[in-house]
C-alpha cells in the first residue's frame, strides 16, 4: 500500500526534473515554453503555462490517489 505514496511523490519530483531539464537543453516542451515566455517578457503566457504545469501535476497526483483508494479499500482515507 505504501508504494502509492512513492508513486505520488515520484510523479511530483519527476515532473519538476523534466521541466528543469527542458529549461536547460530542450527546443520543445513545457519547460522550454516557460523559459521562452520568461525571456521575452510574455507575462500572461508565462503565468498560464505555470498554471498548466500545476494542473497537470494536480491531475496526476489525484489520479494516483484515486487508484490507491480503489485498490486498497482497507486503508484509511487521508483527510486534509
Amino acid at each position: 500500500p505504501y508504494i502509492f505514496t512513492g508513486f505520488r511523490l515520484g510523479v511530483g519530483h519527476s515532473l519538476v526534473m523534466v521541466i528543469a531539464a527542458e529549461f536547460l537543453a530542450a527546443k520543445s516542451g513545457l519547460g522550454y515554453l516557460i523559459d521562452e515566455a520568461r525571456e521575452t517578457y510574455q507575462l500572461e503566457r508565462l503565468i498560464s503555462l505555470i498554471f498548466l504545469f500545476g494542473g497537470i501535476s494536480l491531475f496526476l497526483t489525484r489520479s494516483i490517489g484515486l487508484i490507491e483508494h480503489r485498490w486498497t479499500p482497507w486503508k484509511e482515507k487521508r483527510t486534509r
Side-chain angles (χ1 to χ4, degrees), residues 3 6 8 12 14 25 28-29 37 41 43-44 46 49 53 61 63-64 71 80:
I3 194 163
R8 276 199 313 268
S14 64
S28 64
Y41 299 106
L43 187 59
E44 296 85 8
L46 177 65
L49 288 168
F53 171 70
T61 302
S63 297
I64 292 171
W71 286 2
R80 284 199 164 192

Side-chain angles (χ1 to χ4, degrees), residues 5-21 53 57 61:
T5 302
F7 283 152
R8 276 199 313 268
L9 292 172
V11 163
H13 285 78
S14 64
L15 283 175
V16 169
M17 291 298 120
V18 166
I19 298 296
F53 171 70
S57 179
T61 302

Side-chain angles (χ1 to χ4, degrees), residues 44-62:
E44 296 85 8
R45 185 176 182 193
L46 177 65
I47 291 172
S48 65
L49 288 168
I50 290 172
F51 274 111
L52 177 64
F53 171 70
I56 292 169
S57 179
L58 182 66
F59 171 75
L60 290 174
T61 302
R62 294 286 171 104

